[in-house]
Coordinates of all heavy atoms in Angstrom, one line a residue:
W1 N -0.4 13.4 1.1 CA -0.4 12.5 0.0 C 1.0 12.3 -0.6 O 1.4 11.1 -0.7 CB -1.4 13.1 -1.1 CG -1.3 12.4 -2.4 CD1 -0.7 12.8 -3.6 CD2 -1.8 11.1 -2.7 NE1 -0.8 11.9 -4.6 CE2 -1.5 10.8 -4.1 CE3 -2.4 10.1 -2.0 CZ2 -1.8 9.6 -4.7 CZ3 -2.8 8.9 -2.6 CH2 -2.5 8.7 -3.9
V2 N 1.7 13.3 -0.9 CA 3.0 13.2 -1.6 C 4.0 12.7 -0.6 O 4.9 11.8 -1.0 CB 3.4 14.5 -2.2 CG1 4.8 14.4 -2.8 CG2 2.4 15.0 -3.3
R3 N 4.0 13.1 0.6 CA 5.1 12.8 1.5 C 4.8 11.5 2.3 O 5.8 10.8 2.7 CB 5.2 13.9 2.5 CG 5.7 15.2 1.9 CD 5.6 16.4 2.9 NE 6.3 16.2 4.1 CZ 7.1 17.1 4.6 NH1 7.2 18.3 4.0 NH2 7.7 16.9 5.8
L4 N 3.6 11.0 2.4 CA 3.3 9.8 3.2 C 2.5 8.7 2.5 O 3.1 7.6 2.3 CB 2.5 10.3 4.5 CG 2.1 9.2 5.4 CD1 3.3 8.5 6.0 CD2 1.2 9.8 6.5
I5 N 1.3 9.0 2.0 CA 0.4 8.0 1.6 C 1.0 7.4 0.2 O 1.1 6.1 0.1 CB -1.0 8.5 1.4 CG1 -1.6 8.9 2.7 CG2 -1.9 7.4 0.7 CD1 -3.0 9.4 2.7
K6 N 1.2 8.2 -0.7 CA 1.7 7.6 -2.0 C 2.9 6.8 -2.0 O 3.0 5.7 -2.5 CB 1.8 8.7 -3.1 CG 2.2 8.3 -4.5 CD 2.2 9.4 -5.5 CE 2.5 8.9 -6.8 NZ 2.5 10.0 -7.9
P7 N 4.0 7.3 -1.3 CA 5.2 6.5 -1.3 C 5.1 5.2 -0.4 O 5.7 4.2 -0.7 CB 6.3 7.5 -0.6 CG 5.5 8.5 0.0 CD 4.2 8.7 -0.8
T8 N 4.2 5.3 0.6 CA 4.0 4.1 1.4 C 3.3 3.0 0.6 O 3.6 1.8 0.7 CB 3.1 4.5 2.7 OG1 3.8 5.5 3.4 CG2 2.9 3.2 3.5
A9 N 2.3 3.5 -0.2 CA 1.5 2.5 -1.0 C 2.4 1.9 -2.1 O 2.4 0.7 -2.3 CB 0.3 3.2 -1.7
L10 N 3.2 2.7 -2.7 CA 4.1 2.2 -3.7 C 5.2 1.3 -3.2 O 5.5 0.2 -3.8 CB 4.8 3.4 -4.4 CG 5.7 3.1 -5.6 CD1 4.9 2.4 -6.7 CD2 6.3 4.3 -6.2
N11 N 5.7 1.6 -2.0 CA 6.7 0.7 -1.4 C 6.1 -0.6 -1.0 O 6.7 -1.7 -1.2 CB 7.3 1.4 -0.1 CG 8.3 0.5 0.6 OD1 9.4 0.3 0.1 ND2 8.0 0.1 1.8
A12 N 4.8 -0.6 -0.5 CA 4.1 -1.8 -0.1 C 3.9 -2.7 -1.4 O 4.0 -3.9 -1.3 CB 2.8 -1.5 0.6
W13 N 3.5 -2.0 -2.4 CA 3.2 -2.7 -3.7 C 4.4 -3.4 -4.2 O 4.4 -4.6 -4.8 CB 2.7 -1.7 -4.7 CG 2.5 -2.3 -6.1 CD1 3.2 -2.1 -7.2 CD2 1.4 -3.1 -6.6 NE1 2.7 -2.7 -8.3 CE2 1.6 -3.3 -7.9 CE3 0.2 -3.6 -5.9 CZ2 0.7 -4.1 -8.7 CZ3 -0.7 -4.3 -6.7 CH2 -0.5 -4.6 -8.0
Q14 N 5.6 -2.8 -4.1 CA 6.8 -3.4 -4.6 C 7.4 -4.5 -3.7 O 8.2 -5.3 -4.2 CB 7.9 -2.3 -4.8 CG 7.5 -1.3 -5.8 CD 8.4 0.0 -5.8 OE1 9.1 0.2 -4.9 NE2 8.4 0.7 -6.9
N15 N 7.0 -4.5 -2.5 CA 7.7 -5.5 -1.5 C 6.7 -6.5 -0.9 O 7.2 -7.4 -0.2 CB 8.3 -4.7 -0.4 CG 9.5 -3.8 -0.9 OD1 10.6 -4.3 -1.1 ND2 9.3 -2.5 -1.0
M16 N 5.4 -6.4 -1.3 CA 4.5 -7.4 -0.7 C 4.0 -8.3 -1.8 O 3.9 -8.0 -3.0 CB 3.3 -6.7 -0.1 CG 3.5 -6.0 1.2 SD 2.0 -5.3 1.9 CE 2.5 -4.8 3.5
D17 N 3.6 -9.5 -1.4 CA 2.8 -10.4 -2.3 C 1.5 -9.8 -2.6 O 1.0 -8.9 -1.8 CB 2.6 -11.8 -1.6 CG 3.9 -12.6 -1.5 OD1 4.9 -12.3 -2.3 OD2 4.0 -13.4 -0.6
L18 N 0.9 -10.2 -3.6 CA -0.4 -9.6 -4.1 C -1.5 -9.8 -3.0 O -2.2 -8.8 -2.7 CB -0.9 -10.2 -5.4 CG -2.1 -9.5 -6.0 CD1 -1.8 -8.0 -6.2 CD2 -2.4 -10.1 -7.4
W19 N -1.6 -10.9 -2.4 CA -2.6 -11.2 -1.4 C -2.4 -10.3 -0.1 O -3.3 -9.8 0.5 CB -2.7 -12.6 -1.0 CG -1.6 -13.2 -0.2 CD1 -0.4 -13.7 -0.6 CD2 -1.5 -13.1 1.2 NE1 0.4 -14.1 0.4 CE2 -0.2 -13.7 1.6 CE3 -2.3 -12.7 2.3 CZ2 0.2 -13.9 2.9 CZ3 -1.9 -12.8 3.6 CH2 -0.6 -13.4 3.9
Q20 N -1.1 -10.1 0.2 CA -0.8 -9.3 1.3 C -1.1 -7.8 1.1 O -1.7 -7.1 1.9 CB 0.7 -9.4 1.7 CG 1.2 -10.7 2.2 CD 2.7 -10.8 2.4 OE1 3.4 -10.3 1.5 NE2 3.1 -11.5 3.4
F21 N -0.8 -7.4 -0.1 CA -1.1 -6.0 -0.5 C -2.6 -5.8 -0.6 O -3.1 -4.7 -0.2 CB -0.5 -5.6 -1.9 CG -0.7 -4.2 -2.2 CD1 0.1 -3.2 -1.8 CD2 -1.8 -3.8 -3.0 CE1 -0.1 -1.8 -2.1 CE2 -2.0 -2.5 -3.4 CZ -1.2 -1.5 -2.9
S22 N -3.3 -6.8 -1.1 CA -4.8 -6.7 -1.2 C -5.4 -6.5 0.2 O -6.3 -5.6 0.4 CB -5.4 -7.9 -1.8 OG -4.9 -8.1 -3.1
A23 N -4.9 -7.2 1.2 CA -5.4 -7.1 2.6 C -5.0 -5.7 3.1 O -5.9 -5.1 3.8 CB -4.8 -8.2 3.4
M24 N -3.8 -5.3 2.9 CA -3.4 -4.0 3.4 C -4.1 -2.9 2.7 O -4.5 -1.9 3.4 CB -1.9 -3.8 3.1 CG -1.3 -2.6 3.7 SD -0.1 -1.7 2.7 CE -1.1 -1.0 1.4
F25 N -4.5 -3.1 1.5 CA -5.2 -2.1 0.7 C -6.6 -1.8 1.4 O -7.0 -0.7 1.6 CB -5.4 -2.6 -0.7 CG -6.2 -1.6 -1.6 CD1 -5.6 -0.7 -2.4 CD2 -7.6 -1.8 -1.8 CE1 -6.3 0.2 -3.2 CE2 -8.3 -1.0 -2.6 CZ -7.7 0.0 -3.3
V26 N -7.3 -2.9 1.7 CA -8.6 -2.7 2.3 C -8.5 -2.1 3.7 O -9.3 -1.2 4.0 CB -9.3 -4.1 2.4 CG1 -10.6 -4.0 3.2 CG2 -9.6 -4.7 1.0
V27 N -7.6 -2.6 4.5 CA -7.4 -2.1 5.8 C -7.0 -0.6 5.7 O -7.4 0.2 6.5 CB -6.3 -2.9 6.6 CG1 -5.9 -2.2 7.9 CG2 -6.8 -4.3 6.8
A28 N -6.1 -0.2 4.8 CA -5.6 1.2 4.7 C -6.8 2.1 4.3 O -6.9 3.2 4.9 CB -4.5 1.2 3.6
C29 N -7.7 1.7 3.4 CA -8.8 2.5 3.0 C -9.7 2.8 4.3 O -10.1 3.9 4.5 CB -9.6 1.8 1.9 SG -8.8 1.8 0.3
I30 N -10.0 1.7 5.0 CA -10.8 1.9 6.2 C -10.1 2.7 7.3 O -10.8 3.6 7.9 CB -11.2 0.5 6.8 CG1 -12.0 -0.3 5.8 CG2 -11.9 0.6 8.1 CD1 -12.3 -1.7 6.2
C31 N -8.8 2.5 7.5 CA -8.1 3.3 8.5 C -8.0 4.7 8.2 O -8.2 5.6 9.1 CB -6.7 2.7 8.7 SG -6.7 1.1 9.6

């Protein structure tokens, strides 16, 4: 969580458009 998932999610949130992050969010949960 601390080393991989949380920083990856935060980095994506800061660098993606909202629609891109929304799609990534759904895919990430399933994966």
Side-chain angles (χ1 to χ4, degrees):
W1 169 252
V2 176
R3 296 167 59 132
L4 178 62
I5 295 180
K6 183 176 180 178
T8 301
L10 186 58
N11 180 67
W13 176 257
Q14 293 171 344
N15 294 284
M16 286 183 172
D17 292 334
L18 186 56
W19 73 268
Q20 293 175 320
F21 183 85
S22 299
M24 189 220 70
F25 179 90
V26 174
V27 172
C29 288
I30 296 173
C31 287

